[in-house]
């Protein structure tokens, strides 16, 4: 092993393993000083720096790339449809079907199910999967991300009710009326229509309308899930029985929902969070939904790769999978998602308070780490290990 010490400010050394060591200013937000390892799919990458905070469990509650599991029950509390009499439409891990490709080339399957039957909550009304949890203290948090789309041959009908995320005071979804959900309204009425994001509380005891900022439940325009495109959804939620809660939803990096106010006014401690949901157009064999790269955690602390050093301008954001978490070092299993070899991606680390490094830390996607010092950082010491 040869250690080569090279002072530098910029440049992209093409090496297998790089560590940047330099002084960083103290502050409340995380600061990434360097990275050690490889930026290839599923490889190990260690992020060095300061202000990373703590995370009770480094690993997320669920990471499901749909390509490694055998049964949805291994990772999820439940799923619908789960019809024993006609399983052909049930939620399951599936290889590409019906001419619906994968959202990227780093997975081999997705999760899919259809509103093909019309035999109740678990038999066609809903296409969703959920995780149960106990909510004993406030505030509590959730961060979730996933890819989603619907079938190209979707059959439209009625009012085209179509829901995307559900939060219920129960161990399974849609406990009426003690649940709220994210949906489309205006709804997609054709493959070319423009829906918008909307939220609704069936009990009117949790969400505020208007919210703490005086905003109603109708939000910004959305990607039509029937338009033939995958979209990446992220939600960050602060659960609170006071007016200091929030619900944020991003779609392909754009903030589309930014609700502020009470998010939980329900009794008891049993809760569930579900990805997917109800659609009015059940009983149609073409009405399939598809999901991939589902990440669910009860902490705002996370690591992502983005396609822009300015996070607000990023349109590709891929959540990484932490395996260890210390205040100055976080190890992740790399999830490249849409990123390909040769591209430059930018690391962002969020602490448990939701704060992140101001500028993305650049890494070169490929066989090994290849980064440059951010231009506003002082000259550092590059350690090349051969």
């Amino acid at each position: 092993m040869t250690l080569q010490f090279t002072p530098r400010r910029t440049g992209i050394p093409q090496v297998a393993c790089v560590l940047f060591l330099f002084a960083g200013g103290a502050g409340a937000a995380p600061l990434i000083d360097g990275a050690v390892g490889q930026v290839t799919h599923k490889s190990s990458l260690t992020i060095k720096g300061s202000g990373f905070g703590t995370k009770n469990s480094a690993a997320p509650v669920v990471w499901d790339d749909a390509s490694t599991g055998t049964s949805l029950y291994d990772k999820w509390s439940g799923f619908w449809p789960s019809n024993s009499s006609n399983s052909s439409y049930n939620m399951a891990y599936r290889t590409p079907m019906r001419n619906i490709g994968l959202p990227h080339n780093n997975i081999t399957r997705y999760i899919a199910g259809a509103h093909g039957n019309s035999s109740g909550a678990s038999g066609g009304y809903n296409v969703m999967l959920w995780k149960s949890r106990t909510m004993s203290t406030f505030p509590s948090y959730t961060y979730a991300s996933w890819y989603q789309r619907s079938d190209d041959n979707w059959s439209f009908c009625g009012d085209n009710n179509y829901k995307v995320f559900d939060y219920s005071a129960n161990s399974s979804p849609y406990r009426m009326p003690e649940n709220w959900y994210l949906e489309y309204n205006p709804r997609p009425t054709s493959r070319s229509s423009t829906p918008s994001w909307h939220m609704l509380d069936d009990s009117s005891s949790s969400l505020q309308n208007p919210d703490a900022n005086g905003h109603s439940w109708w939000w910004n325009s959305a990607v039509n899930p029937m338009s033939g495109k995958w979209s990446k959804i992220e939600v960050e939620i602060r659960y609170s029985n006071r007016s200091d809660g929030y619900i944020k939803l991003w779609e392909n990096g754009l903030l589309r929902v930014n609700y502020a106010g009470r998010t939980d006014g329900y009794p008891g401690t049993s809760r569930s969070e579900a990805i997917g949901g109800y659609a009015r157009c059940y009983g149609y064999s073409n009405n399939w939904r598809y999901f991939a790269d589902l990440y669910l955690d009860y902490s705002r602390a996370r690591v992502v790769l983005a396609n822009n050093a300015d996070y607000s301008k990023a349109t590709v954001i891929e959540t990484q999978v932490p395996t260890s978490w210390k205040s100055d070092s976080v190890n992740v299993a790399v999830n490249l998602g849409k990123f390909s070899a040769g591209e430059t991606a930018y690391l962002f680390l969020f602490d448990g308070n939701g704060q992140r490094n101001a500028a993305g830390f650049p890494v070169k996607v490929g066989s090994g780490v290849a980064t440059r010092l951010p231009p506003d950082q002082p000259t550092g010491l590059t350690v090349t290990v051969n």
Side-chain angles (χ1 to χ4, degrees), residues 55-103:
K55 193 172 187 289
N56 290 336
S57 173
V61 175
V62 175
W63 165 244
D64 195 344
D65 66 358
S67 298
T68 55
T70 56
S71 168
L72 289 173
Y73 285 119
D74 292 340
K75 297 184 178 183
W76 300 94
S77 301
F79 57 90
W80 292 332
S82 54
N83 193 331
S84 58
S85 61
N86 184 0
S87 62
S88 59
Y89 297 118
N90 285 354
M91 285 284 270
Y93 297 117
R94 300 178 184 269
T95 54
M97 53 185 281
R98 297 178 58 84
N99 293 317
I100 304 299
L102 299 162

Side-chain angles (χ1 to χ4, degrees), residues 3-321:
L3 295 181
Q4 176 184 342
F5 301 91
T6 309
R8 63 174 70 240
R9 178 178 294 274
T10 59
I12 304 178
Q14 303 296 321
V15 297
C17 184
V18 178
L19 169 63
F20 292 104
L21 303 172
F22 52 84
L31 176 66
I32 297 177
D33 288 343
V36 179
Q38 294 186 326
V39 191
T40 54
H41 194 60
K42 294 189 176 182
S43 66
S44 179
L45 182 68
T46 301
I47 303 160
K48 300 287 188 176
S50 60
F52 297 171
T54 60
K55 193 172 187 289
N56 290 336
S57 173
V61 175
V62 175
W63 165 244
D64 195 344
D65 66 358
S67 298
T68 55
T70 56
S71 168
L72 289 173
Y73 285 119
D74 292 340
K75 297 184 178 183
W76 300 94
S77 301
F79 57 90
W80 292 332
S82 54
N83 193 331
S84 58
S85 61
N86 184 0
S87 62
S88 59
Y89 297 118
N90 285 354
M91 285 284 270
Y93 297 117
R94 300 178 184 269
T95 54
M97 53 185 281
R98 297 178 58 84
N99 293 317
I100 304 299
L102 299 162
H104 56 77
N105 294 325
N106 287 303
I107 54 176
T108 58
R109 300 184 301 182
Y110 40 55
I111 300 172
H115 300 279
N117 295 314
S118 55
S119 54
S122 63
Y125 292 3
N126 309 291
V127 175
M128 62 201 311
L129 60 175
W130 71 86
K131 195 73 174 177
S132 306
R133 66 186 292 188
T134 299
M135 193 80 69
S136 55
T137 60
F138 294 114
S140 292
Y141 296 92
T142 280
Y143 170 80
S145 66
W146 65 93
Y147 282 101
Q148 69 172 32
R149 64 166 294 176
S150 291
D151 201 85
D152 288 345
N153 295 308
W154 184 272
S155 298
F156 296 89
C157 72
D159 66 358
N160 295 296
N161 192 323
Y162 187 108
K163 305 187 189 310
V164 176
F165 179 89
D166 178 77
Y167 177 69
S168 286
N170 194 37
S171 59
S172 61
Y174 294 139
R175 177 186 176 118
M176 298 291 288
E178 293 163 343
N179 75 118
W180 60 256
Y181 43 83
L182 295 161
E183 62 173 1
Y184 300 113
N185 195 344
R187 293 157 177 161
T189 56
S190 71
R191 291 192 66 188
S192 59
S193 65
T194 303
S196 293
W197 287 104
H198 179 251
M199 57 178 57
L200 188 64
D201 178 7
D202 280 331
S203 71
S204 300
S205 63
S206 283
L207 301 184
Q208 300 171 208
N209 188 24
D211 73 353
N213 294 327
H215 195 285
S216 73
W217 286 342
W218 278 263
W219 294 88
N220 297 304
S221 62
V223 173
N224 186 333
M226 294 83 170
S227 63
K229 297 177 289 187
W230 287 91
S231 58
K232 182 66 170 289
I233 306 297
E234 298 174 88
V235 294
E236 183 180 299
I237 304 167
R238 176 183 168 105
Y239 292 111
S240 177
N241 55 6
R242 301 180 179 181
S243 61
D244 60 348
Y246 62 75
I247 303 165
K248 298 179 181 180
L249 180 147
W250 295 266
E251 187 176 47
N252 297 331
L254 297 175
L255 183 63
R256 293 306 196 185
V257 173
N258 192 15
Y259 166 91
R262 186 177 60 247
T263 49
D264 191 318
Y266 304 136
T269 60
S270 181
R271 301 289 186 265
S272 65
E273 294 166 299
I275 294 170
Y278 172 83
R280 187 82 69 201
C281 299
Y282 50 79
Y284 292 87
S285 60
N286 289 332
N287 289 7
W288 285 83
R289 295 204 205 187
Y290 307 88
F291 306 90
D293 286 357
L294 298 91
Y295 181 104
L296 173 67
D297 202 18
Y298 303 153
S299 169
R300 293 177 290 184
R302 61 190 184 271
V303 177
V304 304
L305 279 174
N307 66 342
N308 199 299
D310 182 344
Y311 194 78
S312 67
K313 297 178 180 178
T315 57
V316 176
I317 296 172
E318 302 291 357
T319 313
Q320 306 305 292
V321 187

